[in-house]
Amino acid sequence: MLLKKYVKTRRKVKIVLLLAIVGLLVITIIVLGSTGRNAAIELLLDERFIARAYRPGDKQQPQTLQEQKQQPAVAAAVALLQPQRENGVIVPEKYDEHKIKARIIQNRLDQIKQQQQHDHEAEQSRTTLEVATTAVHIFYTAPVPWYKSKKPPPPPAEHPYDVPLTTTPKAVRILNTAFYPALGLYKPSVSLLSQHFENIRSCGIGVLILSFTGSGSSKPTETALLHQIIELAPQHNLTVTFELSVAGNQSVEYVRQQLQEIATFASLPGFYRVWSQSRGAAMPVLYVSNAYKLSDSLGRLLCRTPAQVEPEGLRRVLDGFFIGHIRLKSHADVMRRLCFDGFYSKLPSNGAVFASTWKNWSYLKSFAQSYKMMFVPTVGPGFAERNKFPRHGDIQRHRSNGRYYGVAWRSAILNHVGFINIASYNNWPDGSQIEEVMPRAGFLDYNPGSRTKYLDLTAHWVGNFLKTRQEAAAAAAPGSPQNCYELLNGTIC
């Protein structure tokens, strides 16, 4: 419309288009001219720099402060540009594999030093708690079974008609851990136990759970180690309790003998006890693994009936709070019939069995409360057996950078339980430990994060657990009886 209004002839249209083309050409020439001038200046500067680099005798001093700051970088660049000469003849640079490998190794060593310095700084700023609570228990393994034996398959026959060898091949020892400990493949000693106990106490944990197999099936050194741990634990504000492993085919006399041996340890000051309101005394707490396998006739001997004053009553040998291990939903009712004081979920793998599934803990808590029992959930950072075919089935659980551990703790805290078990401090064969690890080829580690990552997370969640308990105790109506099954007043009914 504009062209029709102002340009009414074809001649005028041609003149306007010609002027537009000329204008575009002028603008293009101006732009290209300025770009070429800058490129020429940069090329000139590069040529001058290279010329100065190849003149080693030229020692011109920088004129400005900016050039003085750039002098080290320029000197390094000049050194790179200086060619190697022999008798005045430039020698081409050769590929030196040894130098390249040395440089790679040096870079790796520098990275390791930086990582060690970062870990040291992280250890100096660790999350710790000043108060240790007896409401949080942790499984402790001593000694740790670092190796397992595996029999290699027999060699195949070279010919189909050859007679196979009758000699059995010698078993091979294989390292049985998916992580590598920061302290190496250690053996228990006084200094090592003190270091472990100090780490546990700094997390706010007050009770250690040790596996007890009895003198009949354990070595004398293991029995002496138990005495050593119970004597050393009170020096770090810790106490000790046992986990007794039983089976369904064991006789009453075997269980009685085990309880008699535990009674000798329970009299020591370092053994864990809790006050009982109904009995008016401090009673020891004892965990019983595989308790759901016990027969009804043996389990009834744990009932608090007139039979306990008879010679057959097991509580006559050792009276305390017996907490049984369960796996399935029906096992909770089995613990009630066997007169156990409570039950716990030992496996830290969510979804593996009913008792270890987080969403089922509210049901187990309400069941225990309705029958005046205790439910003790077990939390763990993960589960990672090194076996190609795990002995417990498909129960491997990734740590997910600490998120798995956090969800387990949050589920236990929201159910307002009295005790919480942690599996574990140093159960390396199961890969459920919170102890420090060392990054090593072929092994898992705690990256991203420091090697004390799960000790810090444990201290954080124990602090949240204590805070929740204190808020629940403060929210209770004054004068109303507190729920002693939640240990708000440090007792058990």
Side-chain angles (χ1 to χ4, degrees), residues 122-341:
E123 290 177 2
Q124 297 297 328
S125 59
R126 273 194 56 204
T127 303
T128 58
L129 293 178
E130 298 297 332
V131 179
T133 174
T134 56
V136 180
H137 307 171
I138 190 168
F139 288 91
Y140 185 81
T141 305
V144 179
W146 296 111
Y147 294 94
K148 64 178 180 179
S149 299
K150 182 178 180 181
K151 293 183 179 181
E158 296 182 359
H159 194 271
Y161 298 100
D162 290 346
V163 179
L165 298 176
T166 57
T167 59
T168 57
K170 187 177 180 181
V172 181
R173 295 180 65 195
I174 301 176
L175 188 60
N176 191 24
T177 173
F179 298 82
Y180 197 84
L183 300 178
L185 306 180
Y186 53 78
K187 294 182 179 180
S189 64
V190 176
S191 60
L192 178 78
L193 293 175
S194 299
Q195 183 176 354
H196 283 180
F197 293 169
E198 188 61 29
N199 289 338
I200 294 173
R201 188 209 59 79
S202 64
C203 293
I205 302 170
V207 182
L208 302 176
I209 304 177
L210 303 178
S211 178
F212 183 82
T213 56
S215 60
S217 57
S218 62
K219 300 178 182 179
T221 55
E222 296 181 1
T223 305
L225 180 60
L226 293 179
H227 280 281
Q228 185 180 19
I229 291 176
I230 294 179
E231 293 175 358
L232 187 62
Q235 301 178 13
H236 300 271
N237 198 19
L238 298 174
T239 53
V240 177
T241 187
F242 288 156
E243 183 189 37
L244 175 62
S245 181
V246 296
N249 57 354
Q250 291 174 345
S251 62
V252 177
E253 293 301 325
Y254 175 81
V255 177
R256 189 187 307 278
Q257 181 183 359
Q258 298 287 82
L259 293 179
Q260 289 175 352
E261 295 181 8
I262 294 176
T264 60
F265 291 96
S267 60
L268 299 176
F271 204 88
Y272 175 58
R273 296 179 182 85
V274 67
W275 181 262
S276 173
Q277 290 183 351
S278 59
R279 305 175 211 179
M283 310 299 294
V285 176
L286 184 65
Y287 291 90
V288 182
S289 179
N290 299 325
Y292 57 88
K293 296 181 179 179
L294 292 174
S295 60
D296 291 344
S297 60
L298 191 151
R300 291 194 186 96
L301 295 177
L302 290 174
C303 295
R304 295 188 185 92
T305 60
Q308 67 176 336
V309 299
E310 300 177 0
E312 291 80 7
L314 294 178
R315 290 187 183 271
R316 183 181 179 87
V317 179
L318 177 64
D319 194 10
F321 291 98
F322 292 88
I323 304 177
H325 169 214
I326 65 171
R327 290 170 58 88
L328 305 179
K329 183 178 181 179
S330 60
H331 292 165
D333 190 63
V334 173
M335 295 299 103
R336 181 188 62 82
R337 296 199 314 268
L338 296 180
C339 299
F340 275 79
D341 300 287

Side-chain angles (χ1 to χ4, degrees), residues 115 118-128 182-183 195 199 202-203 399 405 425 433-439 445-460:
Q115 182 67 26
H118 180 268
D119 292 345
H120 180 70
E121 293 175 355
E123 290 177 2
Q124 297 297 328
S125 59
R126 273 194 56 204
T127 303
T128 58
L183 300 178
Q195 183 176 354
N199 289 338
S202 64
C203 293
R399 300 193 172 218
Y405 197 33
Y425 180 78
Q433 78 289 335
I434 64 171
E435 190 183 356
E436 304 99 318
V437 300
M438 176 189 299
D445 53 36
Y446 296 163
N447 287 330
S450 64
R451 61 185 187 179
T452 61
K453 176 178 182 176
Y454 286 93
L455 292 176
D456 299 337
L457 288 176
T458 302
H460 168 75

Side-chain angles (χ1 to χ4, degrees), residues 384-489:
E385 286 184 333
R386 197 177 179 87
N387 299 339
K388 184 177 180 181
F389 301 101
R391 63 181 184 275
H392 297 299
D394 186 15
I395 58 174
Q396 308 281 14
R397 297 294 180 269
H398 297 288
R399 300 193 172 218
S400 301
N401 196 21
R403 291 189 294 272
Y404 181 88
Y405 197 33
V407 175
W409 267 102
R410 196 177 295 109
S411 302
I413 293 173
L414 291 177
N415 283 287
H416 300 284
V417 294
F419 291 158
I420 294 180
N421 289 342
I422 302 176
S424 61
Y425 180 78
N426 61 342
N427 192 347
W428 295 92
D430 286 347
S432 61
Q433 78 289 335
I434 64 171
E435 190 183 356
E436 304 99 318
V437 300
M438 176 189 299
R440 191 164 181 173
F443 294 88
L444 301 176
D445 53 36
Y446 296 163
N447 287 330
S450 64
R451 61 185 187 179
T452 61
K453 176 178 182 176
Y454 286 93
L455 292 176
D456 299 337
L457 288 176
T458 302
H460 168 75
W461 286 110
V462 170
N464 286 353
F465 178 53
L466 293 178
K467 182 180 178 181
T468 305
R469 284 160 51 89
Q470 293 171 359
E471 292 176 354
S480 61
Q482 293 180 334
N483 188 355
C484 54
Y485 295 98
E486 294 182 358
L487 289 181
L488 295 179
N489 55 355

